[in-house]
Amino acid sequence: MQRAWQQIFALPEQPGAAAGVLDLRGWTFKHAHSLALDGTWDFYPNRLVSESDIRSGTAGDAVPVQVPGNWKGAMSGSSLGYGTYALHILVDQPLDEPYSFWVQQIQASSRIEINGRPLQAMGQPAARKELYYPMAVPYAVHYLPPEGTKDMLVLIQTANYEHGEKAGISYSIRFGAQSMVQKERWYSTSFQLATIIILLLHALYVCILYLLDKEHPSLLLFALMLIIIAVSIAADNDVLLFLVLPLNYTWGIKVKLLSYVWMVFFMLLLTYKFYSAQAVSRAFKVYSLLLLLYTLCLCFLPIHIVLSNATIYFSLLYMIPPCWMFVLFGIMVYKQKKDVGFLTFIGSSIVSGVIWGTTVNSYRKNLPFYSIDILAAIAGFSAYALKQYIRRSNENRQLYEQLLQADKQKDRFLMNTSHELRTPLHGMMSIAQSEYDKKRAASPDEEAGDLELLVRIGRQMSQLLDDLLDLTLLRENRMVLHPAPLSVHTIAAGAADMLRYLTDGKNLTLHVSVSASLPRVWADEKRLIQILFNLIHNAVKWTEQGSILVTAEEADGKLLISVADTGAGMEEEALARIFLPYEQAGGQDRGGLGLGLGITRQLVELHGGRLTVESRLGEGSVFRFTLQLADEAFFTDEQFGRMEAVEAPGAAYTGRSVHVRNKDEEPFLAGVPPSPSGLDTEGAELKILAVDDDPVNLRVLATILHEDIYQLTSVLSGEEALIRLEEESWDLLITDVMMPGMSGYELTRRVRERYPVSELPVLLLTARAMREEIYYGFQQGANDYVTKPVDSLELKYRVTGLARLKQTVAHSLRLEMAYLQAQIRPHFLFNALNSIATLSTIDLCQMQQLIEAFSSYLRSSFDLMNTGTLIHLKQELSLVEAYLYIEKVRFGERLEVKWERNYTGLLRVPPLILQPLVENAVRHGLLSLIEGGLLTIRIEEEEEHVRLAVQDNGRGMEQAHINRLLMKHKDKSSGIGIWNTNRRLIERYGQGLSIQSRPGFGTTVSFMIPLRRIE
């Protein structure tokens, strides 16, 4: 390295100065390296002479001295004093540019004069100390000799009253053309500046690393070492430190000496850190104490005392650390047998640098600044530390992988344990619930607090197990989302409905204020329900009174959903912890493991949103999260593009009711195995009404239920479903839970107001089988549920079972009607036959008419249509007319019949819907009176209905008796015609009989048939 460096600042083969003369005649200065003015100069001790003194002979005798070197030999062995150096330089014709003299360092003040012209002074040389001012800083002098000048007399006046070891011209003076000297000087200064900047930048980022990780003090030691090295470079060579700090000669020397000894000290200390992490040895502590004492002495003692005794102490403190480091590196190489190349490189660089520094500080220096060794040592330190860091990082990575495996095993253990605990836990919950129901059924007024508490605790434990499973899936990044465009209005309403039961017993209102007109969001339905459920459940849990409000609004291209409560609130320091696993606000325990909010936040982030919270203690909390809006155009093209609407076979298309036919597989389907051969398909077609706001899901249902036994009709809203339920009779209603406008829960509740569970089964489709969802669905009247994505085989069995149940119940009811008809027939038959027999001897013509009426009555009664669902109104009226004719013949003037027909259209009605009312009015209303009475039958067309009324002016009834007739159960032995008719009307039309009666004023029984039944 040093040889390569010498090529940059090479000294050519040149004559040396002898007897105060340097002959450079014939030497080419243009574009040539500068020369060193080394050799024997004339020296005038204790005299500050000038050119005139020398030429006049009054300067006295000159003493030869070696330059560079100390003037001790010429000054009677003393380095203190003053004198003048003289050198004659012989040259050829002058150059077209000035000559330059690059003075490196003259102790401790100097002034240059060439051919009698004073040029520049550094400090103030003087014959007396009080007039003397020291300054030893490198400088350059430029001199352009007059035309024809071939001899330059160079006089350097110098004085030294400070440095006891060095005096005079200590380092070589370079001489040459101005351009070349400036170039060489620029190279030297640039290398110093570049080295200083590199060291300080490295020190800066090492300090930053230390501030970020204060557990590694070696970083601070390394930074201090870099700074001290930069200071040593700036204080030596071209003394660049004087450009930054206003230092005098004394402190310039002190800073230089201190920087070198502290530089090697930090190198040794850093080597100790590499060598062992244990405390340093006693010898090192002794060295540190000596260095500290040396530093104190250097700072407080006068400079001449320091310099007169500096050589031995400085050399001792400066040379011991490199040797010590070399030994330590050797031990590390021997013991560790690792990184031998790094350690050898560092040791060699330090030894080389020390040797070079010693050479430079001797009197043989004729090179400018050289920094390769010190930079190489720093690079070696850095590389060795980086290699150790990489080795420790690899070890840490291995430990991390082991910990990660242990953590995965822990998560797997939690998951397996959760799965294993669910079965016995649900078994215990089922037994406890069963015992609780039995106790409540046996003694409704008796408290069953222990069993109720047991069931509640079991539900909480089950929820904890679900949270543990979700937490494991999130940690292992195995949570898979199935996003689709969703209505937050629907999801929020459904989630709130599931949790309203928790507000019972609290002075708390739960309100959802989410507009149905808001744009849809792109989210997983199951997980969005879980997010809202967790937030609302958390609000209910921490709010004893007040209100909980769920709102949503569009903001910055996203949908912002908020859940605000007036509950306990949280302190500010608790807000940062509530999203951590196993954390609860305020450290209070109100059930749960504190996993819900953490899981909620991760689910929101999986959707690309952000969950935040604002809360103040005692004033409630507001949780807000954002969701991305669904791209309606993309949704329409991709989701609806492959779907076609077709008309249901045998049925007319009405409104938005469609049958859907699938061409491709859809994510709604969990698996579509072949149709099971064991599926019960005997009997009539199963009429199924499917409700879902997503046509894709309806198409999947049509794909699953595609066999001939299923007659599937699909509608897109609960309102349309209610209309279709009024228009036709159905065997099964399949409805999605989360729908806009009217949720599946609300639709089920509305259906149950008109249809018992056995007469119209309801099957719920839910995104996830949460206990709260299932409980709420059953409370509203659902018969069963299926979780999406559905399994086709499971869905078929459940659909077929529920639909066959309804058909079985309907068949039983029709048989019951036929039985009722047959039950009342013998008494009426005997009376009719007796009347025919009597007329056979009185009036044959009337007997013949009576026989025809009786024949018509029997024909209508035994018609197979009586076991059907609907018949034409004219058939029902034909039966009524035949019956009334027979009764008219029997009772004569006691029975008067009046018909008021204001409707002539075709109308389909349930069989035996009018005849029981007419028979009841005749038997119990009119003929119970001796004088009889008037029976009026009205058929009137109104705006959307046809009203049928049966009115008599018989004895009438009290309201209590009317209520008993309508509420009488079918297991009673008699009097069930009114009850059966009323029940069948409610089942089909949602509205039963209207009975108005007063004792002594008669009775009017009426009902309405919608005009939509017209065919």
Side-chain angles (χ1 to χ4, degrees), residues 352-364:
S352 175
V354 171
I355 294 174
W356 179 259
T358 304
T359 303
V360 167
N361 280 279
S362 69
Y363 295 105
R364 295 185 296 276

Side-chain angles (χ1 to χ4, degrees), residues 14 101 128 144 183 196 203 241 263 372 521 572 601 608 729-730 735 739 764 778 796 804 807 887 993 1005:
Q14 65 174 78
F101 295 84
R128 296 189 312 179
L144 181 62
K183 179 180 179 181
I196 292 171
L241 188 63
M263 175 185 70
I372 302 301
V521 296
E572 186 174 354
R601 186 174 201 174
S729 177
W730 303 91
T735 176
M739 295 186 298
L764 296 180
F778 284 138
K796 286 181 178 181
R804 291 301 183 205
Q807 288 186 343
E887 294 290 28
L993 296 174
V1005 181

Side-chain angles (χ1 to χ4, degrees), residues 205-206 209 216-223 225-226 270-271 273-275 329 332 336 339 342-343 345-346 376-394:
Y205 78 73
V206 171
L209 292 177
H216 294 81
S218 57
L219 293 174
L220 181 60
L221 296 178
F222 190 62
M225 183 185 71
L226 294 176
L270 194 62
T271 305
K273 291 295 181 181
F274 292 157
Y275 176 72
F329 285 139
M332 284 190 284
Q336 297 180 6
D339 306 323
F342 287 111
L343 297 173
F345 180 78
I346 295 172
I378 298 302
F381 274 116
S382 302
Y384 184 74
L386 184 61
K387 186 64 181 293
Q388 284 191 324
Y389 171 78
I390 294 174
R391 184 183 299 114
R392 292 194 181 106
S393 296
N394 292 333

Side-chain angles (χ1 to χ4, degrees), residues 287-361:
Y287 171 79
S288 302
L289 180 60
L290 293 176
L291 179 60
L292 184 59
L293 292 175
Y294 176 78
T295 302
L296 293 175
C297 293
L298 200 64
C299 291
F300 294 103
L301 292 177
I303 187 62
H304 65 277
I305 299 177
V306 172
L307 293 177
S308 61
N309 301 282
T311 303
I312 183 171
Y313 297 115
F314 176 81
S315 300
L316 180 66
L317 294 174
Y318 180 72
M319 295 300 297
I320 288 178
C323 300
W324 203 337
M325 284 185 282
F326 196 80
V327 173
L328 292 178
F329 285 139
I331 296 174
M332 284 190 284
V333 170
Y334 177 77
K335 287 185 176 181
Q336 297 180 6
K337 301 184 187 306
K338 298 178 182 178
D339 306 323
V340 177
F342 287 111
L343 297 173
T344 304
F345 180 78
I346 295 172
S348 302
S349 299
I350 292 175
V351 171
S352 175
V354 171
I355 294 174
W356 179 259
T358 304
T359 303
V360 167
N361 280 279

